[in-house]
């Protein structure tokens, strides 16, 4: 009896702080198939499992632990993959990485040539992944250096130059080959001349196909290289045999045909197709290249003595003072310490209007200074800057897989073996029923089937569209975190909007002010009092009168729940609510009282300013509705999306705002849990729900929604939870995001349709299905050209998304 060999693996745990937690995790691990023994060590913060199939047991254990409400310490990285040539290659790389113990998940994007891998660093290393990938003929680009993008760019440029040279060489030798094969077959030594011309194309320019096919064969796998190597190899060897031993066929009364031109032209066409595909694929990631190009290489630092010096961006540290001159890019995130200017933030927010920056305002990496100069203190540098986070999010989203891609991956994994099977069946059918030339025609059919089949078009259909769609979103100031939310957004039929910071600006501002006749000169006293007040609404008054002067008021007394009392120049002044004025016997004119009553009905907060006898002024403060909110809500309603508003504010405020923006479904005084419950309620009715919010109180509802959208000026927690982020916090970007989603999904469907139709029609034609009907046989050279064009057409169709206009 064979002994089952198991091995222990340590899974690092997070948030497992007590014996009770350990017991819950232990019980969860018990239900996982393949784990023979397990225990949780609280002191070491790890779970030890024993299994003979770690590649299955460890990911299942991690999922179970997370489902129980705890976590596992893992690392997620995006690593460039080199030498992939088709969708089957992506499946092979993904499979071998997933097979390594310690890898929780791996997802290869053929279009961007990257693998997104989540792994437990204590169980598996990047070097081990690289060795595994190298063993099947590919490679991982692992570089800890900050200059990774430039180095990787160099590798791609070198590969592209080599591909260009190979393509040119193959075409130059193929042209005379085709001429001889079609028009000058009767010249002396025609077959030998063709052999000499075809050999460099097949064995030198096309050698990578054979090398990669051999590596695949060693691992009992197959990809597009296998198809090309088999088809051109068979045509070449058959032609060599016929050139050296023509008498074998002559003795059977048959002509010894050679197909050197087919073997060479097929390689030339496929190399040309690869070159066009690489160029097109380069365009799909242009959004990332633009974002990376936003960060300057050097910055001007100002030291404590006021001296300026130039430093590389990598050496900038938090706390350094950086000077930004007109036309220069802001290097890192920080706060303006001196000077003022207008800054173009369009590449981050999608908003074309430059934003004024003054002392204490935030500036972000990658934005462009306009006319003025200013200095700012570095707050976030390197990978912590907003631009770096955006680049990372866009990369991860472009590398993620849409649900439809999972089906395509399954098809790609069996595509090549099926095609080889069809090619062999074609050969056998021709030998049995093809008459005296059956073997020769069968061999041609085999070659043509192998050449025309294109797993690349299938593999590129979804990821190229996702890459361009996510990139288009980024250009418009819409950050899309994953392909699933991009695919799902077009199905949204109910959207829930938080009020504060989403529909409104989230900042109280003075909307109206009235002064009693002849008393507006005392506004300097009001400003002075509010400057010293700690009340949040006082800041709105100070901001409203920021260009006015104030006086020195020293004696201020806070009256809890009512306002403040101040003494200035022998007179008492009051700032607060109406109750404060009544208690101090202050007279309120009918005009001021009428206006105040009107503002209260509009759900505005009213502040009174008075001296010891009369009310001098009344001010209305409200959280103003954003300029674009009304238009955005109308557009969503035109798209047949039900719009709801939920807010923690009182019912009167909720009603006033809802009426202004045209929302009929609204609720006030809603708690965070109520928001999440309302999302569930709509989902139970079969709705695809989007939740839009900006605060910590929205995070539960965001997590529950089908599509979660955060406002970029909101809390970090909301942005972390959400699958989409509107950088500018402009609601009008949401209809645009839905339109980009719809356009991307339509493009994916078109790509898949053409990729499937191409193979469904092309493969039977190549096998000779029309020959018994009308004598039509597809030439291998035409098949090679069609195969090359199928991939290019799919990528070109995806690139149309870049020019989508709202």
């Amino acid at each position: 009896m064979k002994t089952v060999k198991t091995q222990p693996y340590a899974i690092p745990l997070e948030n497992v702080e007590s014996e009770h937690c350990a017991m819950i995790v232990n019980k969860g691990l018990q239900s996982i198939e393949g784990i023979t023994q397990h225990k949780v060590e609280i002191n070491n913060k790890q779970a030890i499992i024993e299994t003979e199939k770690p590649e299955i047991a460890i990911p299942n254990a991690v999922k179970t632990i997370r489902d129980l409400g705890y976590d596992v310490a893992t690392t997620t990285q995006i690593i460039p993959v080199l030498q992939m040539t088709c969708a089957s290659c992506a499946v092979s790389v993904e499979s071998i990485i997933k097979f390594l113990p310690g890898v929780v998940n791996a997802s290869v994007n053929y279009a961007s040539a990257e693998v997104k891998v989540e792994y437990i660093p204590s169980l598996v290393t990047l070097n081990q992944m690289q060795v595994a990938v190298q063993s099947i003929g590919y490679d991982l680009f692992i570089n800890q250096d900050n200059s990774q993008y430039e180095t990787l760019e160099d590798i791609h440029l070198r590969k592209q130059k080599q591909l260009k040279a190979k393509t040119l060489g193959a075409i130059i030798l193929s042209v005379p080959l085709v001429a001889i094969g079609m028009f000058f077959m009767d010249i002396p030594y025609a077959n030998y001349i063709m052999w000499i011309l075809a050999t460099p194309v097949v064995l030198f320019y096309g050698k990578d196909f054979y090398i990669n096919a051999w590596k695949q064969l060693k691992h009992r796998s197959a990809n597009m290289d296998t198809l090309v190597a088999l088809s051109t190899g068979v045509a070449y060897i058959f032609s060599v045999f016929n050139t050296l031993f023509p008498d074998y066929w002559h003795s059977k009364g048959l002509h010894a045909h050679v197909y050197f031109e087919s073997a060479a032209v097929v390689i030339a066409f496929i190399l040309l197709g690869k070159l066009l595909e690489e160029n097109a694929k380069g365009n799909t990631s242009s959004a990332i290249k633009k974002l990376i190009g936003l960060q300057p290489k050097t910055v001007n630092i100002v030291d404590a003595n006021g001296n300026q010096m130039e430093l590389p961006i990598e050496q900038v540290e938090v706390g350094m003072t950086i000077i930004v001159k007109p036309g220069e890019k802001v290097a890192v995130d920080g706060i303006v310490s001196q000077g003022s200017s207008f800054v173009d933030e369009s590449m981050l927010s999608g908003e074309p209007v430059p934003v004024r920056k003054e002392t204490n305002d935030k500036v972000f990496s990658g934005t462009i200074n306009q006319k003025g100069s200013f200095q700012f203190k570095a707050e976030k540098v390197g990978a912590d800057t907003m631009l770096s986070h955006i680049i990372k999010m866009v990369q991860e989203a472009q590398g993620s897989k849409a649900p439809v891609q999972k089906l395509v991956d399954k098809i790609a994994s069996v595509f090549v073996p099926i095609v080889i099977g069809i090619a062999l069946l074609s050969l056998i059918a021709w030998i049995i029923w093809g008459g005296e030339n059956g073997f020769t025609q069968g061999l041609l059919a085999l070659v043509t089937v192998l050449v025309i089949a294109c797993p690349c078009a299938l593999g590129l259909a979804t990821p190229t569209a996702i890459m361009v769609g996510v990139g288009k979103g980024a250009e418009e100031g819409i950050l899309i975190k994953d392909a699933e939310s991009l695919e799902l957004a077009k199905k949204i039929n109910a959207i829930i909007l938080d009020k504060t910071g989403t529909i409104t600006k989230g900042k109280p501002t003075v909307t109206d002010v009235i002064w009693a006749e002849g008393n507006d000169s005392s506004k300097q006293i009001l400003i002075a009092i509010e400057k010293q007040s700690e009340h949040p609404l006082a800041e709105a008054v100070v901001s409203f009168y920021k260009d006015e002067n104030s006086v020195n008021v020293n004696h201020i007394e806070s009256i809890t729940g009512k306002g403040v009392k101040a003494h200035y120049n022998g007179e008492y002044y009051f700032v607060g609510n109406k109750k404060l004025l009544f208690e101090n016997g202050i007279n309120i004119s009918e005009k001021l009282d009428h206006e105040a009553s009107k503002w209260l009905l509009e759900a505005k907060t009213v502040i009174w300013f008075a001296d010891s006898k009369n009310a001098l002024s009344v001010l209305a403060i409200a959280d103003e509705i954003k300029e674009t909110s009304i238009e955005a809500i109308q557009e969503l309603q035109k798209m047949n999306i039900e719009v709801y508003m939920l807010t923690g504010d009182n019912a009167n405020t909720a009603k006033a705002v809802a009426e202004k923006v045209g929302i009929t479904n609204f609720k006030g005084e809603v708690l965070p849990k109520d928001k999440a419950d309302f999302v569930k309620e709509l989902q139970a009715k079969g709705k695809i729900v989007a939740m839009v919010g900006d605060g910590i109180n929205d995070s539960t509802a965001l997590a529950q929604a089908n599509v979660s959208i955060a406002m970029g000026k909101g809390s970090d927690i909301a942005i972390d939870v959400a699958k989409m982020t509107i950088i500018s916090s402009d609601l009008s970007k949401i209809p645009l995001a839905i339109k980009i989603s719809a356009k991307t999904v339509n493009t994916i469907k078109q790509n898949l349709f053409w990729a499937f139709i191409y193979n469904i029609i092309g493969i039977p034609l190549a096998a000779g299905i029309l020959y018994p009907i009308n004598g039509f046989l597809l030439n291998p050279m035409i098949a090679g050209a069609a195969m090359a064009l199928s991939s290019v057409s799919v990528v070109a169709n995806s690139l149309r998304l870049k020019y989508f206009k709202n």
Side-chain angles (χ1 to χ4, degrees):
M1 188 179 167
K2 192 179 175 184
T3 312
V4 176
K5 197 174 180 182
T6 61
Q7 199 176 328
Y9 297 92
I11 300 174
L13 300 173
E14 290 184 347
N15 309 327
V16 179
E17 306 293 349
S18 66
E19 285 294 342
H20 179 67
C21 298
M23 187 178 72
I24 294 169
V25 173
N26 239 329
K27 195 174 178 184
L29 294 173
Q30 199 173 322
S31 62
I32 298 171
E33 199 178 328
I35 296 180
T36 53
Q37 286 187 49
H38 55 86
K39 62 178 177 179
V40 175
E41 299 175 349
I42 296 179
N43 293 339
N44 296 326
K45 292 197 172 178
Q46 61 182 18
I48 309 290
I49 65 167
E50 287 194 20
T51 177
E52 63 167 338
K53 288 190 174 178
E55 70 280 3
I56 298 168
I58 292 173
N60 286 343
V62 171
K63 185 180 182 302
T64 301
I65 291 163
R66 285 174 175 167
D67 286 346
L68 291 168
Y70 306 104
D71 206 356
V72 175
T74 61
T75 298
T76 301
Q77 275 191 264
I78 294 173
I79 311 160
V81 186
L82 307 175
Q83 274 113 47
M84 285 198 300
T85 56
C86 70
S88 299
C89 303
V91 173
S92 300
V93 172
E94 192 173 294
S95 300
I96 201 154
I97 292 175
K98 278 183 176 177
F99 193 75
L100 294 171
V103 173
V104 176
N105 196 18
S107 173
V108 175
N109 185 326
Y110 171 52
S112 61
E114 289 174 329
V115 58
K116 182 182 178 183
V117 60
E118 183 187 2
Y119 63 99
I120 300 170
S122 55
L123 293 180
V124 65
T125 65
L126 290 177
N127 287 334
Q128 286 172 315
M129 292 179 214
Q130 187 176 34
V131 169
V133 170
Q134 285 171 342
S135 72
I136 57 168
Y138 310 104
D139 201 358
L140 296 180
F141 182 78
I142 297 169
N143 187 356
Q144 311 304 330
D145 194 349
N146 287 333
S147 60
Q148 173 170 326
Y149 295 113
E150 287 75 23
T151 314
L152 186 60
E153 193 71 22
D154 291 343
I155 289 172
H156 285 315
L157 282 172
R158 191 176 72 248
K159 293 258 179 202
Q160 212 154 356
K161 277 183 184 174
Q162 288 172 351
L163 185 56
K164 205 172 183 177
K166 284 179 183 177
T167 306
L168 195 62
I171 290 169
I172 288 167
L173 290 173
S174 295
V175 170
L177 255 173
V178 172
I180 294 169
M182 292 181 75
F183 307 111
F184 304 106
M185 275 301 293
D186 296 329
I187 62 169
Y189 305 106
N191 286 5
Y192 287 94
I193 295 166
M194 290 167 76
W195 185 8
I196 291 164
L197 289 168
T199 300
V201 178
V202 175
L203 301 183
F204 178 67
Y205 296 124
K207 67 179 179 182
D208 288 343
F209 295 118
Y210 302 98
I211 293 166
N212 293 336
W214 172 245
K215 285 177 180 175
Q216 291 293 314
L217 183 63
K218 283 196 292 184
H219 286 83
R220 296 178 186 177
S221 184
N223 64 3
M224 195 196 79
D225 293 325
T226 311
L227 299 181
V228 177
L230 274 173
S231 57
T232 55
V234 166
Y236 179 78
I237 291 165
F238 183 63
S239 300
V240 170
F241 178 85
N242 289 358
T243 301
L244 295 174
F245 307 107
D247 294 339
Y248 173 80
W249 298 106
H250 295 160
S251 64
K252 296 178 183 291
L254 299 169
H255 184 66
H257 284 288
V258 293
Y259 299 98
F260 287 120
E261 79 280 11
S262 293
V265 171
V266 162
I267 285 173
F269 269 133
I270 289 169
L271 287 172
L272 179 63
K274 274 177 164 293
L275 185 64
L276 294 171
E277 186 186 302
E278 284 301 316
N279 289 339
K281 273 161 65 180
N283 286 331
T284 63
S285 59
S286 62
I288 280 285
K289 288 175 186 170
K290 277 183 194 170
L291 288 170
I292 291 166
L294 285 175
Q295 196 171 49
K297 304 282 184 236
T298 59
V299 294
N300 289 312
I301 303 292
V302 181
D303 64 19
N305 301 318
N307 301 318
Q308 288 186 33
M309 59 183 287
E310 196 173 69
L311 272 186
I313 186 76
E314 293 82 14
Q315 291 178 24
V316 176
E317 294 176 6
V318 174
M320 284 184 171
T321 300
I322 299 164
I323 186 164
V324 187
K325 293 169 185 171
E328 288 184 346
K329 289 173 183 171
V330 177
V332 296
D333 293 3
I335 290 183
V336 177
S337 56
Q338 192 180 316
S340 65
S341 181
F342 283 89
V343 175
D344 179 359
E345 296 186 341
S346 59
M347 278 307 289
L348 295 181
S349 66
E351 298 297 321
V353 181
V355 180
R356 183 165 177 80
K357 299 291 178 180
E358 296 174 328
T359 307
N360 295 326
D361 284 343
K362 287 188 176 184
V363 287
F364 300 102
S365 169
T367 56
I368 303 166
N369 184 26
Q370 300 290 288
K371 292 180 180 176
S373 290
F374 64 89
Q375 293 180 16
F376 73 95
K377 251 187 179 55
E379 269 201 325
K380 291 178 180 177
V381 300
D384 294 328
T385 65
M386 187 180 184
L387 179 62
S388 295
H389 282 303
I390 289 171
I391 290 168
K392 191 181 177 191
M393 281 171 69
V394 173
Q395 278 182 318
E396 286 182 357
Q398 289 187 334
S400 64
K401 289 188 180 181
V404 70
Q405 181 65 20
K406 290 167 188 170
L407 171 67
V408 176
D409 285 349
K410 282 180 185 173
I411 294 166
S413 65
V414 296
F415 184 88
V416 175
I418 288 171
V419 168
I420 292 170
I422 293 169
L424 289 170
L425 282 173
S426 304
L427 172 63
I428 293 163
W430 273 100
I431 290 170
I432 296 169
W433 294 296
E436 59 179 20
N437 281 322
F439 179 75
T440 308
Q441 297 289 13
L443 212 56
L444 265 183
L446 177 138
V447 168
T448 312
V449 167
L450 293 172
V451 166
I452 203 165
C454 186
C456 298
L458 277 175
L460 289 166
T462 304
T464 51
I466 294 292
M467 285 177 74
V468 180
V470 169
K472 181 69 181 173
E475 284 175 17
E476 296 287 349
I478 305 160
L479 280 186
I480 301 161
K481 278 191 186 174
D482 61 21
E484 191 169 353
S485 57
L486 180 65
E487 189 178 331
L488 199 57
K490 75 176 283 283
K491 297 178 183 175
I492 292 168
N493 50 23
I495 190 162
I496 299 169
L497 305 174
D498 173 50
K499 179 185 77 71
T500 309
T502 302
I503 295 174
T504 64
K505 291 179 178 176
K507 192 177 178 183
T509 52
V510 174
T511 57
D512 307 275
V513 59
I514 289 183
W515 289 87
E517 279 183 39
N519 286 294
D520 60 340
S521 57
S522 55
K523 70 173 70 161
Q524 292 178 340
I525 302 166
L526 169 66
I527 298 163
I529 295 168
E530 291 293 62
K531 273 184 179 176
Q532 294 184 57
S533 172
E534 293 175 0
H535 197 282
L537 297 180
E539 192 184 330
V541 178
V542 173
S543 179
F544 184 73
Y545 286 119
K546 64 182 177 184
D547 297 326
E548 300 277 350
N549 296 319
S550 66
V551 294
N552 291 321
V553 176
N554 299 318
H555 305 287
I556 292 179
E557 178 192 340
S558 178
I559 303 164
T560 308
K562 294 167 190 171
V564 293
K565 179 181 179 184
H567 186 259
Y568 174 74
N569 223 12
E571 176 67 273
Y572 283 101
Y573 292 91
F574 300 87
V575 180
N577 56 26
K578 202 171 187 180
K579 194 174 181 183
L580 179 67
L581 272 62
F582 281 155
E583 285 181 359
N584 288 277
I586 294 164
N587 178 51
I588 298 173
S589 71
E590 194 178 321
K591 180 188 172 187
L592 294 185
D593 198 35
H594 175 73
E595 287 299 324
S597 301
K598 193 174 81 175
W599 295 337
L600 284 167
L601 288 172
E602 292 172 6
K604 293 178 180 178
T605 303
V606 172
I607 290 178
W608 293 89
F609 173 50
D611 59 20
S612 58
K613 297 185 187 76
N614 298 303
L616 305 175
S617 174
V618 63
L619 301 92
I621 294 179
D623 183 6
E624 279 192 300
I625 291 165
K626 293 175 190 170
E627 293 82 357
T628 54
S629 290
I630 297 170
E631 195 181 323
I633 288 161
Q634 284 174 350
E635 195 170 350
L636 287 167
Q637 289 165 338
K638 280 178 193 169
M639 294 164 79
N640 294 320
I641 296 170
E642 292 174 12
V643 183
Y644 299 84
M645 185 188 83
L646 302 182
T647 178
D649 273 357
N650 63 64
N652 287 339
T653 305
K655 187 182 179 187
V657 172
E659 284 175 353
K660 274 187 184 175
V661 297
I663 294 175
T664 51
N665 303 308
F666 62 90
K667 280 186 182 180
E669 296 173 18
V670 178
L671 297 172
K673 185 184 176 298
D674 299 332
K675 289 184 181 181
D677 288 342
F678 188 71
V679 173
K680 286 180 192 171
E681 202 179 298
L682 290 176
Q683 287 170 331
K685 293 176 183 173
K687 301 282 184 189
I688 303 296
V689 183
M691 173 69 200
V692 187
D694 75 324
I696 294 168
N697 61 330
D698 300 317
S699 55
T700 316
L702 286 166
Q704 178 62 41
N706 301 93
V707 178
S708 45
I709 305 169
M711 294 285 126
K713 290 174 184 172
S715 75
D716 289 344
I717 292 174
I719 292 165
D720 285 346
V721 170
K723 296 294 184 188
M724 287 188 192
T725 301
I726 309 298
I727 297 175
S728 64
S729 295
D730 180 354
L731 265 187
S732 66
K733 297 288 183 183
I734 294 172
L736 179 59
I738 294 168
K739 286 174 187 174
I740 290 172
S741 162
K743 201 79 180 165
T744 305
V745 171
N746 288 340
T747 303
I748 290 170
K749 285 177 181 174
Q750 289 162 10
N751 286 351
L752 287 173
F753 173 79
W754 289 114
F756 277 114
I757 284 292
Y758 165 82
N759 283 299
I760 288 164
I761 294 172
I763 292 171
L765 277 180
I769 199 167
L770 291 179
Y771 185 76
I773 301 163
N774 58 13
F776 176 79
L777 283 172
L778 191 63
N779 189 304
M781 291 185 284
I782 295 167
M787 184 267 190
L789 284 170
S790 64
S791 294
V792 177
S793 62
V794 162
V795 180
N797 190 45
S798 294
L799 285 171
R800 289 191 311 123
L801 271 170
K802 288 176 78 170
Y803 308 105
F804 163 67
K805 295 271 190 283
N806 184 19

